[in-house]
Structures are given as structure tokens and as C-alpha cells.
Amino acid sequence: LGNTPITHLEAYTLGNLVAQNAQLVKVSYNKEDIQHNILIQDIEGGIKYNKKLHKLRNLGSRASNTQKAPEIEDRKLDFRNLFLSKPYLTAINDILVINPTLEALHLTNTNIKDASLLTLQQGIKESQGLKTLNLQGNSITRRGLEILVKALSNRELRSLNLGSNSIDAGEFEKDKVTLEKLLTHNTIEVLNLGGNQLVNKGAVAISVGLQLNTILHTLDLSNNGIGDTGIEALAIKLTDANTTLR
């Protein structure tokens, strides 16, 4: 914009433009014309956000079908404690689909909801490298768990963290089956379901799934309100000589 004078209203409009146009990664303008620092912060904050998103999108793209996607540093992406908007989730999904160098994805406290998992579903299902998925501290319910279990079919995932979400055992047979299917997914070695609302009903469903599990060695069910009935059902599995749980 060169030395074009910018009014208060125009600065406000420019901030909105940056926020709405994720392709915009550079704006040259005269800050001295803007009297309110918060408007400058809005503009620069939007540009910073877009630059991060642009970089993320590059990891999930390639110039041609024969070209490899860029290698991800340390083979992991860590977004802990960041608010992830849909453009970010879409970019992450594209990376999961295209980039086999992503082995660990940390999404702790990132405002992930059931609808967010719909955005990530294809990527989780088609990923060729993902081994660790951390979804702790979000707002995932049993509906989100159902979406996730479907996406995990034929996956090579080794560690799944769903602790401190809002997953309950539900009231219907299909809800119980979802928990059973999660436990019969025979690639997961470490599973955290602590801090949810599974209660006795969930524990019983999990004990059924454990009967067919041959690989899980670490299972966290703490802070789920599990009483005697649920504990008794789990204890039967824990005393099984063939259990893999440690």
C-alpha cells in the first residue's frame, strides 16, 4: 500500500481482509497512520497466522504425482494448546493423506470436537506413516469416537491418547460396539481413555473388547467413575494368563 494514508476504519477493514484471505502472507503499509496499536496487532497477527498455514500447506502438497512430499522435521507435528481453525485442520488432513513422513501428531488442548474429526477422518484413515495420535484435553464425545474408530480401520497406529475428553458409554448397543471395536484394533499398544465418563457400562464393553486383543500393553481408565461392576469385569481379563497388559 506504500505511503497511502490509512484511516481507523480502513485499518479495521485491512485486518478483516487478512483474517479472511488465508493466501495473503505479506502486506506493506504505513503503520504511522494507524493510531490504535490493537489494529496493527490484528493485521500482523493475521499475517503471522497465514504464514504458518502456508508453511503447513506446503507439507501436504507436491508439484506432481511423482514428486515426494517435503520431509517433516523429526517426523512429528505438535500443535499443543493452540486453537486450530478449520483451515488448519484441512491442511493437517492433507498432510496425513499425502505425506508418509508424519509419524506423530499432537493435538492436545486444540479445541478438537466431533466435527473436527470429520475433517481429519480421511487423513487418519489413509495415512501411511502415523503411529502416534494425541487428542487429549479436547471435546470429543462418543460420536467423535465412532468417527475415529471408523477411520482407524487398517491403520498402523501404535499409541492413541483420548484422555480428558467427554466420551461416555452411551445408551445403545452401537455405542457399546464402538468401544469394543476400539479395543479389538490390534495395532494399538498404548491407549489412554482416562478422564472421560465411561462408568461401569463402558468398563464392561472394554473388557469384552480386551478378550480379543492380542497387543495392547498399556491401558489408562483412571477418573472414569468405574465402580465394582466395571472393576470386576476388567479384573477377569487382567487375571487371564494370555493378557498382554502390563
Side-chain angles (χ1 to χ4, degrees):
L1 299 174
N3 293 319
T4 305
I6 300 175
T7 65
H8 174 88
L9 179 59
E10 289 165 344
Y12 174 79
T13 304
L14 182 57
N16 283 340
L17 173 64
V18 172
Q20 293 170 19
N21 187 346
Q23 303 298 328
L24 195 58
V25 295
K26 185 177 180 180
V27 177
S28 299
Y29 62 98
N30 189 359
K31 297 179 185 177
E32 295 177 1
D33 289 330
I34 302 175
Q35 297 177 356
H36 298 281
N37 284 335
I38 191 159
L39 292 174
I40 296 176
Q41 290 171 12
D42 285 346
I43 295 169
E44 293 186 344
I47 291 295
K48 187 176 180 181
Y49 175 92
N50 287 353
K51 284 182 176 179
K52 287 182 179 179
L53 183 57
H54 183 71
K55 186 177 180 180
L56 194 62
R57 282 173 172 163
N58 284 340
L59 293 174
S61 63
R62 52 194 176 200
S64 67
N65 291 333
T66 57
Q67 186 181 34
K68 291 183 179 179
E71 186 162 338
I72 295 171
E73 186 177 356
D74 297 328
R75 295 183 171 265
K76 70 178 180 181
L77 290 175
D78 193 337
F79 297 98
R80 271 177 268 207
N81 303 316
L82 296 176
F83 179 89
L84 295 183
S85 62
K86 188 161 184 183
Y88 260 83
L89 293 172
T90 301
I92 292 169
N93 180 74
D94 291 343
I95 293 171
L96 286 165
V97 171
I98 290 174
N99 202 318
T101 68
L102 179 58
E103 294 183 357
L105 179 58
H106 297 283
L107 299 174
T108 304
N109 297 323
T110 51
N111 196 43
I112 296 290
K113 298 175 178 154
D114 297 344
S116 310
L117 291 175
L118 282 173
T119 304
L120 295 171
Q121 187 177 32
Q122 181 190 5
I124 294 171
K125 186 174 183 177
E126 296 183 14
S127 172
Q128 297 177 32
L130 190 65
K131 292 179 173 58
T132 299
L133 179 58
N134 190 338
L135 291 164
Q136 186 172 10
N138 287 293
S139 302
I140 299 169
T141 73
R142 66 177 182 273
R143 299 304 171 214
L145 181 63
E146 186 177 348
I147 294 166
L148 187 59
V149 167
K150 288 178 181 177
L152 288 176
S153 59
N154 301 320
R155 286 287 320 113
E156 292 300 317
L157 201 68
R158 296 288 181 267
S159 176
L160 177 60
N161 188 343
L162 288 166
S164 301
N165 276 280
S166 302
I167 301 169
D168 61 42
E171 300 177 3
F172 305 104
E173 183 67 21
K174 70 173 185 177
D175 300 319
K176 185 181 74 170
V177 170
T178 297
L179 279 170
E180 292 174 8
K181 283 184 177 179
L182 177 63
L183 270 296
T184 54
H185 186 74
N186 276 326
T187 66
I188 297 177
E189 299 173 351
V190 179
L191 177 61
N192 181 5
L193 288 168
N196 283 283
Q197 304 156 25
L198 296 177
V199 297
N200 286 332
K201 195 181 298 183
V204 171
I206 287 170
S207 69
V208 173
L210 285 173
Q211 293 174 18
L212 299 173
N213 190 290
T214 59
I215 194 169
L216 187 71
H217 62 66
T218 302
L219 175 62
D220 187 344
L221 294 174
S222 59
N223 300 315
N224 267 291
I226 298 173
D228 292 344
T229 304
I231 292 172
E232 288 172 7
L234 291 168
I236 294 172
K237 173 59 183 174
L238 292 174
T239 55
D240 187 340
N242 295 320
T243 184
T244 55
L245 288 170
R246 299 171 186 171

